[in-house]
Amino acid sequence: MKLELCCPTLFGLEGIVADELRFEGKLTDVRPENGRVLFSGDERTLAWANLNLRTAERVLLCIGSFPATSFDQLFEGVRALPWEDFIPRDGAFPVKGHALDSALHSIPDCQKIIKKAVVTRLSHAYGTDWFEETGARYQIQFAIMHDRAELYLDTSGAGLHKRGYRANANAAPLRETLAAGMVKLARWRGRDRLLDPFCGSGTIAIEAALIAMRRAPGMMRSFDAEKWGCIGAETWKSVREEAVSRIVPESDFEIFGSDIDPDCVRLSVDNARKAGVLHTARFEVADAVSRDYSSVGTLFANPPYGERLLDLQSAERLYAALGRALRGSDSKQYILSSDAEFERFYACKADKRRKLYNGMIKCDLYMYFKQEAKKQTKTEGAKPQRG
């Protein structure tokens, strides 16, 4: 069966998700848009995407779309879709979604109308007016934008950023999909030494280890669609077996994380153990502004922004101190910050910037990879304080 699929993404990672689908999933019909990537495939594609995509937020099955400027139009449009092709008689089908710039803006009312329309459709298909909903979950999602409704089934369940290794996190955790996106943007594949000097809960180093070992990020978790009768168990079994066969045995990857807080280091070690990469990603207690960076090949950093950790002035003093510590280093550097003045305090203009979102926080990934940037030349007139 040909399926239309959609992966919502963090803003700024659409191209990375599209590349994963094209080059790793070997798909040709891939269409990136703002905040999502659309693609076509079959049941195996659906299973592969859930298990293997590192930077997508979830995998949605597109059921249909239509104009919706009134509740009557919404009801009729939903009722016309082939829900019985996917949802069985005992399936649970809760409804959630959002509306933007549309005549239909009441989310609770839209939920009720959509639920009623699906029940009406399934009642006709199964010859019953009552559904116990005791079986597998078929989460219905809707998006109504500019008076057009789009209806999906969520095949993932919990978001794909929930890999299964991070039950606990520090006060300002970096989402796993964003950490993987940073590593992918740097095109790091394990050939040089990697360091994260603000490791927090270890997410960047762990995601880098999973990438280097070619371990599928979804290996440790399950997905809602694994319980769906419309997708055979053999499909999931085959995709998982293929993922296991692609794993590179532990090698001499040099992946390190450090943090000034011993509790963060202990948490990182615990998370790496749960992820199965403890001997690939190593962690230690160290002060980021006083350590030796001479042997680092690629540095990734998510230092405090002054949003949830430290105040803004303290964060900017930290940027200045980090810039001084790295001056003269030959390392490539990828630093995430929400401070628009980061380059001034770091005292070096980035070779490239990429706008990303860490949760709801708008950030830039400052990339330093050219020879001139490695010299860490101080920018003219820069001062490590606000003027």
Side-chain angles (χ1 to χ4, degrees), residues 98-114:
H98 64 273
L100 180 67
D101 294 333
S102 297
L104 303 180
H105 53 80
S106 170
I107 302 304
D109 287 337
C110 290
Q111 287 174 296
K112 292 175 184 176
I113 293 296
I114 292 170

Side-chain angles (χ1 to χ4, degrees), residues 325-366:
L326 279 160
R327 193 164 299 131
S329 170
D330 286 333
S331 64
K332 298 176 184 178
Q333 299 154 32
Y334 298 83
I335 304 173
L336 190 69
S337 176
S338 66
D339 189 346
E341 295 290 317
F342 171 81
E343 289 168 302
R344 184 161 72 92
F345 288 91
Y346 192 61
C348 189
K349 184 173 177 59
D351 296 308
K352 190 176 181 181
R353 290 166 56 173
R354 180 73 167 252
K355 196 173 300 298
L356 298 171
Y357 279 80
N358 186 9
M360 298 301 293
I361 302 174
K362 180 180 174 182
C363 300
D364 280 291
L365 181 63
Y366 295 88

Side-chain angles (χ1 to χ4, degrees), residues 217-350:
M219 289 288 289
M220 296 176 58
R221 55 162 289 174
S222 61
F223 308 94
D224 275 6
E226 286 188 84
K227 299 178 182 177
W228 293 6
C230 55
I231 302 176
E234 282 301 314
T235 298
W236 289 96
K237 182 173 181 291
S238 173
V239 170
R240 285 187 178 276
E241 288 174 348
E242 180 185 294
V244 170
S245 72
R246 294 177 67 245
I247 296 175
V248 176
E250 290 187 13
S251 185
D252 295 328
F253 299 121
E254 294 187 285
I255 303 171
F256 298 91
S258 65
D259 204 287
I260 197 171
D261 185 347
D263 288 339
C264 285
V265 173
R266 282 191 289 269
L267 180 57
S268 295
V269 169
D270 189 42
N271 288 337
R273 182 181 295 109
K274 291 174 183 174
V277 299
L278 184 57
H279 299 295
T280 305
R282 305 171 183 89
F283 300 92
E284 64 179 357
V285 177
D287 185 349
V289 301
S290 61
R291 66 171 302 148
D292 179 15
Y293 289 103
S294 60
S295 62
V296 175
T298 303
L299 178 141
F300 292 94
N302 177 37
Y305 307 156
E307 297 271 355
R308 288 175 287 186
L309 295 177
L310 300 183
D311 57 70
L312 184 58
Q313 287 72 31
S314 296
E316 289 173 340
R317 286 194 294 271
L318 178 61
Y319 298 155
L322 182 64
R324 289 192 295 271
L326 279 160
R327 193 164 299 131
S329 170
D330 286 333
S331 64
K332 298 176 184 178
Q333 299 154 32
Y334 298 83
I335 304 173
L336 190 69
S337 176
S338 66
D339 189 346
E341 295 290 317
F342 171 81
E343 289 168 302
R344 184 161 72 92
F345 288 91
Y346 192 61
C348 189
K349 184 173 177 59

